[in-house]
Amino acid sequence: GEQHASEATRLALDFLETNDFITYDAMRGVYAPTMLAKATFRSGLSPEEAKLVYESLDEARDHFVMSSDMHLIYHCTPYATGIEPMWERYYRIYLELPDEVKKIGRLVGVNEGALGLAECQRPEGSAVVVLRRFWAAMMLYELVKERPLDLVSKRYAVPRGNVQRLMASASSFASMVSSFSDNLNWWGFAPLIQKLQLRLRDGVESDIVPLMQLPSMKSYRARAFYQAGYRTIEAVAQADPAQIESILSSSHPFVKRGLIKSWGKSSDFKTGRALVREAKTVLIKIAQEKNEELKEAEEKIAGLEMTPPCAGANGDRRKRISVGAGYGKTLKMAGSNNNSNNNSN
């Protein structure tokens, strides 16, 4: 019991120290978290996931491809999705992708040769991890391009419910990766990932993300509103309810496919008047949240103005917190009077 717990603790500390999550302060005889550890804790990633995410994003920073959404989507795709590729279809679907997407595939280790071999012999080791992840990323790519979920489900031979779970897990994972990047001071990634996270959640292009803030909004409805000139919540809130209802009715999938001439009203269909009211309610909520943020900012500024400057003999007192030898980053934090530890790591 006690010996087993002691051994488990030792192994855990060895893992964290080896992977630069903690450093040992020999002078005080204690372990201290690195910036990497703090970013991992605040993001909600496991240490194993954080290590993989760090390595892949750090490599991507040197040659990040902005010409396609696919590179960012791949890095926001969970490592374990529970979805096994349909190896017989993988090669064919990959060849049908745009050249810019196939370029990302080659960049992360997916190419025609590997996929052709996978049809005959199942890959193993790290190669299969990359191939599985890219397969899921291809589905997500088609979904954020607003390809209907049913068609993606059929194309990839994945049950509809599993595709929906993939969207939800990818959106959640993207949120964690965004927080992780932000806490590592990789500010270039965080805003891009935050926008993608909303698109992964709803399966939409970036231009209709604002309309998806309406609780009853579906992606096909948002696209219809956008095409009709209603491109913001404010525009919907100021619209004629009759015109809104007309757009809602004509945008229904059954109507667009010619299965019925008009949808009409039903108990579960939002009327134009109800949607306009909903848009006004959302705008009020957004305004209230902004007012609260402004009030908090004003209180912080007032507190800073009342706080006397605090400086020692050498002026501003700062402490350098090492991220770890393997990561070579540092974070300056004000308020420490211990200058002897500046270069401890």
Side-chain angles (χ1 to χ4, degrees), residues 1-13:
E2 184 176 341
Q3 183 177 357
H4 178 74
S6 177
E7 177 65 12
T9 301
R10 184 188 66 79
L11 291 174
L13 289 173

Side-chain angles (χ1 to χ4, degrees), residues 260-271:
I260 56 177
K261 291 184 178 180
S262 65
W263 178 254
K265 295 182 179 179
S266 68
S267 59
D268 62 347
F269 194 84
K270 288 281 185 180
T271 64

Side-chain angles (χ1 to χ4, degrees), residues 219-235:
S219 60
Y220 67 86
R221 292 176 181 171
R223 177 57 60 195
F225 279 119
Y226 189 89
Q227 292 173 345
Y230 298 94
R231 302 184 175 183
T232 64
I233 297 178
E234 290 85 349

Side-chain angles (χ1 to χ4, degrees), residues 77-91:
T77 302
Y79 286 90
T81 63
I83 297 176
E84 186 69 12
M86 181 67 72
W87 299 104
E88 297 77 11
R89 298 188 184 188
Y90 204 147
Y91 182 76

Side-chain angles (χ1 to χ4, degrees), residues 56-131:
S56 64
L57 285 180
D58 190 40
E59 181 180 356
R61 288 197 301 166
D62 296 330
H63 42 70
F64 190 75
V65 180
M66 297 291 292
S67 60
S68 168
D69 293 325
M70 188 60 175
H71 204 184
L72 196 60
I73 290 172
Y74 177 79
H75 287 292
C76 292
T77 302
Y79 286 90
T81 63
I83 297 176
E84 186 69 12
M86 181 67 72
W87 299 104
E88 297 77 11
R89 298 188 184 188
Y90 204 147
Y91 182 76
R92 175 177 58 80
I93 294 176
Y94 180 83
L95 291 181
E96 293 172 357
L97 294 173
D99 289 340
E100 59 186 15
V101 176
K102 286 186 282 191
K103 177 182 178 181
I104 306 303
R106 290 190 290 271
L107 195 63
V108 301
V110 178
N111 55 65
E112 290 89 341
L115 294 177
L117 183 62
E119 283 189 301
C120 307
Q121 181 181 351
R122 296 294 177 264
E124 298 178 352
S126 59
V128 74
V129 175
V130 172
L131 290 173

Side-chain angles (χ1 to χ4, degrees), residues 133-152:
R133 195 181 185 201
F134 197 79
W135 173 261
M138 290 195 305
M139 282 191 280
L140 292 170
Y141 175 82
E142 295 202 31
L143 289 164
V144 299
K145 293 299 181 183
E146 299 181 28
R147 188 179 182 91
L149 192 147
D150 287 340
L151 295 183
V152 173

